[in-house]
Amino acid sequence: GAVVSQHPSWVICKSGTSVKIECRSLDFQATTMFWYRQFPKQSLMLMATSNEGSKATYEQGVEKDKFLINHASLTLSTLTVTSAHPEDSSFYICSAPFSGTAGNTIYFGEGSWLTVV
Amino acid sequence: GEDVEQSLFLSVREGDSSVINCTYTDSSSTYLYWYKQEPGAGLQLLTYIFSNMDMKQDQRLTVLLNKKDKHLSLRIADTQTGDSAIYFCAERTGGGNKLTFGTGTQLKVEL
């Protein structure tokens, strides 16, 4: 079945550095992918829509210069957290829609834990 | 606007049925999804229902949709300890693929 994979699963970085998280659709193409953020014991909040070959669309309140999104191919979107600070520590998870004979489903990656120290 | 609500916690005994409820406000929802999240893990798609359906059954899972009341439920038959997790409902509205998630329900299965 359709699978979405994220890498890395866990990352610890120093304050002020940048971290890149990858989201791949493994056996299907995704012209659009979505990035969410989840704080402990909370729900998922949509950060941005990643569009293949064009600029990402950010949700209100999300800093586009801080959370850089690049969707360079039909199977890969990347989220770069620039100049990370401890308050950026969170669980980041991506999703990709898949249209098959059974209908339209949306699959999620395994998520990436970011800890900024 | 979009608002999706769930009860925060549900405790059931192993072997019983679990019913997790979800209410939403956007009547233009096209698909509604149920995801399972285990501690520290990503989201596992359990099932989904198209907005023109009332019910969908998939093995131990039964989804009921009351579009008039904007109420969605997930029934898990013969609940097992491995079903302990957080369950999120999510709605997809309009023609896009953005999801609005519910607050999540933590299901605890006791022996």
Side-chain angles (χ1 to χ4, degrees):
Chain A
V3 176
V4 175
S5 178
Q6 276 182 248
H7 177 82
S9 300
W10 299 82
V11 57
I12 300 173
C13 71
K14 289 187 176 180
S15 190
T17 61
S18 296
V19 174
K20 181 186 285 187
I21 302 169
E22 295 184 345
C23 178
R24 293 181 186 273
S25 54
L26 294 186
D27 52 3
F28 66 102
Q29 294 181 333
T31 56
T32 307
M33 292 184 178
F34 299 87
W35 286 97
Y36 293 82
R37 183 174 182 177
Q38 185 182 32
F39 289 106
K41 298 191 185 299
Q42 293 189 24
S43 189
L44 283 77
M45 297 300 294
L46 178 66
M47 297 174 67
T49 303
S50 174
N51 304 299
E52 189 268 334
S54 65
K55 289 182 180 180
T57 307
Y58 290 81
E59 296 299 301
Q60 192 173 5
V62 178
E63 299 174 61
K64 60 180 69 175
D65 294 330
K66 181 165 187 63
F67 298 100
L68 300 179
I69 291 172
N70 186 5
H71 196 144
S73 77
L74 287 169
T75 59
L76 173 64
S77 172
T78 60
L79 168 69
T80 301
V81 182
T82 63
S83 186
H85 290 283
E87 58 265 30
D88 299 324
S89 298
S90 187
F91 187 61
Y92 294 87
I93 189 165
C94 68
S95 73
F98 172 75
S99 294
T101 54
N104 188 318
T105 56
I106 297 177
Y107 291 100
F108 281 79
E110 310 95 329
S112 299
W113 283 100
L114 170 64
T115 301
V116 184
V117 297
Chain B
E2 304 152 351
D3 194 16
V4 184
E5 297 285 338
Q6 295 177 240
S7 51
L8 291 179
F9 189 77
L10 175 65
S11 178
V12 299
R13 287 185 182 274
E14 189 177 40
D16 288 350
S17 292
S18 308
V19 179
I20 302 171
N21 295 301
C22 172
T23 58
Y24 59 98
T25 57
D26 195 331
S27 57
S28 65
S29 295
T30 52
Y31 286 89
L32 293 130
Y33 299 82
W34 283 104
Y35 289 90
K36 176 183 179 183
Q37 186 178 37
E38 298 187 46
L43 271 69
Q44 175 193 350
L45 176 65
L46 291 177
T47 187
Y48 64 95
I49 188 167
F50 189 49
S51 58
N52 68 353
M53 297 169 64
D54 298 323
M55 185 184 88
K56 181 178 180 181
Q57 187 158 359
D58 184 0
Q59 298 182 330
R60 292 192 297 125
L61 305 178
T62 303
V63 179
L64 295 178
L65 175 60
N66 181 329
K67 206 172 177 183
K68 174 175 169 287
D69 294 338
K70 299 188 187 68
H71 183 266
L72 179 74
S73 68
L74 173 70
R75 179 177 180 270
I76 305 172
D78 187 26
T79 313
Q80 302 297 307
T81 53
D83 295 324
S84 293
I86 298 177
Y87 290 79
F88 290 97
C89 64
E91 63 171 348
R92 177 181 161 224
T93 56
N97 289 302
K98 284 190 215 182
L99 295 182
T100 300
F101 281 85
T103 44
T105 299
Q106 180 161 3
L107 173 64
K108 182 178 179 183
V109 182
E110 298 173 325
L111 295 172

